[in-house]
Amino acid sequence: MMQQQQLMQAAGISETLAMVWLGPLTRAMSEFSIEQPEDQAMFIAQTGHESAGFSVLTENFNYTCHALAELFPQYITGQQAVLLGRSAEQPAQQQQIAELIYGNRLGNQSATEGWVYRGRGLIQITGRGNYSDCAGGLNLPLLSYPEMLVQPEPAARSAAWFYKTHGCLAYPGNIRKVTQIINGGSTGLADRQARFTMALQVFSGSHG
């Protein structure tokens, strides 16, 4: 059973955050068989990175004009990037950005669903198709109430569900492979590695 002090050290978070997340994370890891020290350390490291230290549970589209043009050229034209991106003159038009990036893909049936089913949770569940799969896996009405995933319990359960069902448990200690499964690439690899090393020291030293 993970202790509050362990979570604070493993995730590098404050006592306040550890109090919020200890129960949800402990229950979620138990429910989805994330039980070995190496697996628990990897799960805490990956969710910690994805959620900016267990503090951000909703996808942020606060992109600059330049970033939009650079990151999403297949979905957003240069002209759209100028109109929608953050600049000195205007805030980012986050809903319209989400609708362009995710509209009519990832199971979304319209542009507006790109915003409705934007990324939420500790490992961001994104798109109607993934929300539907997650809803079935957790027995929660996520298609009707997608914002449930910003509550600690569903946020932790959805991340553990994703972690197990997408095969992360098959690669204990393989930071690159697990990052690829979660991220689709290797974004933030150094931070994830540092978090994993820190968490593994805690769980290996005082497991059980």
Side-chain angles (χ1 to χ4, degrees):
M1 180 79 175
M2 182 167 60
Q3 304 300 315
Q4 184 174 306
Q5 195 68 32
Q6 279 184 301
L7 179 57
M8 287 172 65
Q9 293 173 346
I13 57 176
S14 67
E15 184 178 3
T16 306
L17 275 176
M19 287 171 69
V20 170
W21 288 107
L22 179 64
L25 285 169
T26 301
R27 289 186 286 273
M29 288 193 291
S30 176
E31 181 181 359
F32 291 98
S33 306
I34 303 170
E35 290 166 339
Q36 296 305 309
E38 213 166 21
D39 294 325
Q40 291 188 338
M42 181 70 76
F43 181 70
I44 293 296
Q46 294 286 355
T47 51
H49 176 85
E50 291 286 321
S51 63
F54 297 92
S55 64
V56 177
L57 300 178
T58 305
E59 187 171 0
N60 186 347
F61 296 90
N62 189 26
Y63 294 104
T64 63
C65 305
H66 175 73
L68 278 178
E70 198 170 72
L71 292 170
F72 307 107
Q74 66 273 51
Y75 305 116
I76 293 180
T77 66
Q79 188 179 8
Q80 287 171 323
V82 170
L83 289 171
L84 301 178
R86 186 180 85 244
S87 68
E89 289 76 41
Q90 65 181 23
Q93 306 302 302
Q94 296 200 33
Q95 182 169 342
Q96 290 169 268
I97 291 168
E99 290 175 354
L100 283 172
I101 295 171
Y102 293 139
N104 296 301
R105 54 185 286 264
L106 301 176
N108 292 326
Q109 295 165 5
S110 66
T112 54
E113 287 192 348
W115 176 250
V116 174
Y117 298 115
R118 64 192 183 277
R120 292 187 183 89
L122 285 177
I123 292 177
Q124 293 187 344
I125 305 297
T126 309
R128 172 187 268 271
N130 290 317
Y131 271 78
S132 179
D133 290 346
C134 188
L138 302 183
N139 196 25
L140 292 174
L142 298 179
L143 289 180
S144 300
Y145 305 102
E147 65 281 356
M148 286 181 79
L149 288 184
V150 302
Q151 300 166 10
E153 200 78 30
R157 289 185 69 215
S158 65
W161 165 82
F162 180 96
Y163 197 89
K164 183 176 183 181
T165 57
H166 287 72
C168 295
L169 288 170
Y171 302 98
N174 189 335
I175 195 85
R176 188 173 290 277
K177 182 64 179 177
V178 175
T179 298
Q180 187 180 14
I181 292 171
I182 291 171
N183 173 256
S186 58
T187 303
L189 196 64
D191 179 66
R192 295 172 204 261
Q193 178 68 61
R195 288 175 179 275
F196 174 66
T197 301
M198 183 167 66
L200 188 60
Q201 286 176 345
V202 174
F203 291 126
S204 298
S206 51
H207 186 70

